[in-house]
Amino acid sequence: MPGILSAIQEQIDTMNPKEKDIAGYVLAHPHHIIQMGITELAQQSGGSTATISRFCKLFHFAGFTEFKLKLAAELAQQTDTQSYQDIVAGNPLERIVSAMESNHVRSITDTTRMLDLKQLQKAIDALKSARQIDLYGVATSGLIAQDFYQKLIRIGKRAVTFSDPHMQVTSASNLTKQDVALGISYSGETSETIAALRCAAENGATTISLTKFGTNTLTSLADISLFTSTLEEGMRRGDMASRIAQLHVIDILFVGLISDQFDDLVPRLEQSFQMVKKYR
Amino acid sequence: MPGILSAIQEQIDTMNPKEKDIAGYVLAHPHHIIQMGITELAQQSGGSTATISRFCKLFHFAGFTEFKLKLAAELAQQTDTQSYQDIVAGNPLERIVSAMESNHVRSITDTTRMLDLKQLQKAIDALKSARQIDLYGVATSGLIAQDFYQKLIRIGKRAVTFSDPHMQVTSASNLTKQDVALGISYSGETSETIAALRCAAENGATTISLTKFGTNTLTSLADISLFTSTLEEGMRRGDMASRIAQLHVIDILFVGLISDQFDDLVPRLEQSFQMVKKYR
DNA sequence: CAGTAATACGAAAATTATTTTCATCCATGA
DNA sequence: TCATGGATGAAAATAATTTTCGTATTACTG
């Protein structure tokens, strides 16, 4: 099941009644949707065009048309790509390897399909002009933050990240309008990260979220929302594929950030590499 | 070369001048079209909305919207394994995204091809029976070590990792025959990691290396050698794809390690998953 | 070299689709 | 019971697309 449909599936419990009706219809007849207009879908699903339009925005689409477009793209992809493989007990090693491979690859390709270039560009622009960049995340997402931190430092950007939640908030409270804060959390509901990003927002910093696709608290606090694909409901994953997808997005941000200065910066990257060699 | 685009290509000679302009634009920027409205496309391609609408009907689409939808579906299908794409200055964001996608996917699939199941199984067995696991790595590889560390801790394995090289060696010098040390370094020539793994080996610990494919110092110190794929020489990467490949191998190790206790352990790993349920 | 016919083309009207506004309804809790 | 707030759809507003229609241009004919 592709990303959008599983995202709908996952959020269906949190929806309003009519939204549930619509979600149900979409899940039942995904291929149908893409040939319909919003009016027809309203009749079929028992909702109104207004509710459908709102429904699409739940998933951060610009509107119904974009929803349809992305859905069409995903459904087209589904036929020729493997679906996620669940990892179960007692697998022979060979099956584990193949399951990990397909899950990780899926995670990257699904996330790519889901990317909103405009949001991405906004995020890159914000990072580019930031005086100071704060990165928030705990546990696995904390490592993603550190990864980005290492990259930013290497190109001479002022950035910080903390594993201590108190330090995160302390740092956030010192941000200004010229600064950027990036909150990373797969679920989008990690309380420490939410607290830090909220604090950053209140101080006027530009806030960016990186979470799984859909509506969540972290996203609602962010000026700019970035998403990774949602894994299927019930998929046992242990943060593995999601982390790969997050790194994928981080890499895109980073390369986007340096691309127009690429020729200047790459030597510096090499240089900082040499520096380490020289001084160790 | 999806069907629609090649159909356009094929018919381009028989088209009217303005239609040719439009065709040219579509062929040059197919991915762009999907995000445009008919008005914007008219401006960009130097035609009018009327001509575009007629253009779409040339190919028997109901209209522009259907054309866009079908095009989106076709473009999504391009699943082929591309070769690594170098990332160069001034790329439009779209190309960066696609380059990162193909590099990361390649990195995973190539690494999978390269895996030696016997070595992998030996590594898993060693980790499984280890009293204590030491993980060594600096900079980007240090984060991979920390990632593995977090996973091991969550399943109750005794493991440590240090960013400080002195601590690494100190820890290594306390290992015994019952212990396992894993050294991570893309090049296999990072002196801190080499020093730590050498120390571990001298104390009788089972040593595992994770490096790029080939011969290198770290591998020569290891009882068990694991490899990631080598990126093309001269590829500018900033440690991006290699890190994904390393995580891929780590994940396989980890799942292999816990697979016979999978059902007990996985719920414990799914922190974020539980969180969502709890908050709603 | 007219004159005519056919076609390409875009401006703008017409149509259609989508989003937003706003009034109403309904559930919830004081 | 009465606010209150949120969900909802009717209808207005807006946006997007298609069609119509008149002009311009080319091609063809006598």
Side-chain angles (χ1 to χ4, degrees), chain A residues 129-181:
Chain A
S129 57
R131 186 186 64 106
Q132 159 82 32
I133 300 170
D134 264 31
L135 307 169
Y136 310 127
V138 296
T140 306
S141 300
L143 291 181
I144 311 296
Q146 279 191 46
D147 183 274
F148 200 22
Y149 167 74
Q150 287 192 0
K151 288 189 164 48
L152 291 172
I153 292 299
R154 280 194 235 164
I155 60 168
K157 266 278 172 192
R158 282 191 52 189
V160 296
T161 184
F162 299 98
S163 49
D164 183 319
H166 287 234
M167 288 303 292
Q168 288 185 0
V169 175
T170 306
S171 178
S173 67
N174 286 313
L175 294 181
T176 70
K177 283 189 194 66
Q178 293 144 33
D179 303 322
V180 171

Side-chain angles (χ1 to χ4, degrees), chain A residues 21 28 40 58 173 193 214-215 234 255:
Chain A
D21 292 351
E40 196 182 346
L58 267 187
S173 67
T193 308
T215 303
V255 174

Side-chain angles (χ1 to χ4, degrees), chain A residues 84-91 95-96 98-100 103-104 235-238 240, chain B residues 251 255-256 258-259 262-263 266:
Chain A
Y84 287 109
Q85 288 182 22
D86 202 0
I87 298 147
V88 293
N91 268 330
R95 269 216 57 202
I96 291 173
S98 127
M100 292 311 306
N103 287 358
H104 285 166
M235 175 63 69
R236 299 154 153 188
R237 57 195 140 65
M240 289 181 277
Chain B
D251 286 350
V255 174
I258 63 173
S259 78
F262 204 78
D263 293 322
V266 165

Side-chain angles (χ1 to χ4, degrees), chain B residues 107-175:
Chain B
S107 189
I108 289 170
T109 54
D110 284 359
T111 296
T112 305
R113 304 280 160 284
M114 201 133 273
L115 287 174
D116 180 333
L117 287 183
K118 291 200 187 87
Q119 292 285 303
L120 218 40
Q121 191 60 61
K122 277 169 70 180
I124 290 167
D125 293 342
L127 290 169
K128 200 175 282 177
S129 57
R131 185 187 64 108
Q132 161 80 33
I133 299 170
D134 264 31
L135 307 168
Y136 310 128
V138 296
T140 307
S141 299
L143 291 180
I144 311 296
Q146 279 191 46
D147 183 274
F148 200 20
Y149 166 75
Q150 287 191 1
K151 288 189 163 51
L152 292 172
I153 291 299
R154 281 193 233 166
I155 60 168
K157 266 279 171 191
R158 281 192 52 188
V160 295
T161 183
F162 299 97
S163 49
D164 184 318
H166 287 232
M167 288 302 293
Q168 288 185 1
V169 175
T170 306
S171 178
S173 66
N174 285 314
L175 294 181

Side-chain angles (χ1 to χ4, degrees), chain A residues 38 50 53 57 63-64:
Chain A
I38 196 172
S53 183
K57 290 184 179 164
F64 178 67

Side-chain angles (χ1 to χ4, degrees), chain A residues 92-274:
Chain A
L93 188 51
E94 205 173 312
R95 269 216 57 202
I96 291 173
V97 169
S98 127
M100 292 311 306
E101 180 186 18
S102 76
N103 287 358
H104 285 166
V105 168
R106 259 310 277 266
S107 188
I108 289 170
T109 55
D110 281 359
T111 295
T112 305
R113 298 283 161 280
M114 201 132 275
L115 287 174
D116 181 333
L117 288 183
K118 294 203 184 83
Q119 292 286 303
L120 217 40
Q121 190 61 60
K122 276 169 70 181
I124 290 167
D125 292 342
L127 291 169
K128 202 175 281 179
S129 57
R131 186 186 64 106
Q132 159 82 32
I133 300 170
D134 264 31
L135 307 169
Y136 310 127
V138 296
T140 306
S141 300
L143 291 181
I144 311 296
Q146 279 191 46
D147 183 274
F148 200 22
Y149 167 74
Q150 287 192 0
K151 288 189 164 48
L152 291 172
I153 292 299
R154 280 194 235 164
I155 60 168
K157 266 278 172 192
R158 282 191 52 189
V160 296
T161 184
F162 299 98
S163 49
D164 183 319
H166 287 234
M167 288 303 292
Q168 288 185 0
V169 175
T170 306
S171 178
S173 67
N174 286 313
L175 294 181
T176 70
K177 283 189 194 66
Q178 293 144 33
D179 303 322
V180 171
L182 168 63
I184 305 173
S185 162
Y186 175 71
S187 68
E189 302 296 348
T190 311
S191 60
E192 292 88 343
T193 308
I194 290 170
L197 202 70
R198 176 173 286 136
C199 180
E202 282 167 3
N203 283 282
T206 301
T207 50
I208 308 175
S209 65
L210 176 56
T211 69
K212 71 174 172 182
F213 188 69
T215 303
N216 57 62
T217 308
L218 201 63
T219 291
S220 69
L221 294 172
D223 300 314
I224 304 166
S225 300
L226 302 174
F227 297 105
T228 59
S229 65
T230 310
L231 299 174
E232 279 180 42
E233 176 75 19
M235 175 63 69
R236 299 154 153 188
R237 57 195 140 65
D239 283 345
M240 289 181 277
S242 63
R243 178 196 49 173
I244 300 275
Q246 287 173 336
L247 286 175
H248 178 52
V249 175
I250 292 295
D251 287 350
I252 291 168
L253 281 182
F254 181 68
V255 174
L257 187 57
I258 64 173
S259 79
D260 49 3
Q261 325 156 47
F262 204 78
D263 294 322
D264 295 339
L265 285 175
V266 165
R268 231 204 278 183
L269 284 175
E270 301 290 327
Q271 216 177 29
S272 73
F273 200 65
Q274 303 301 327

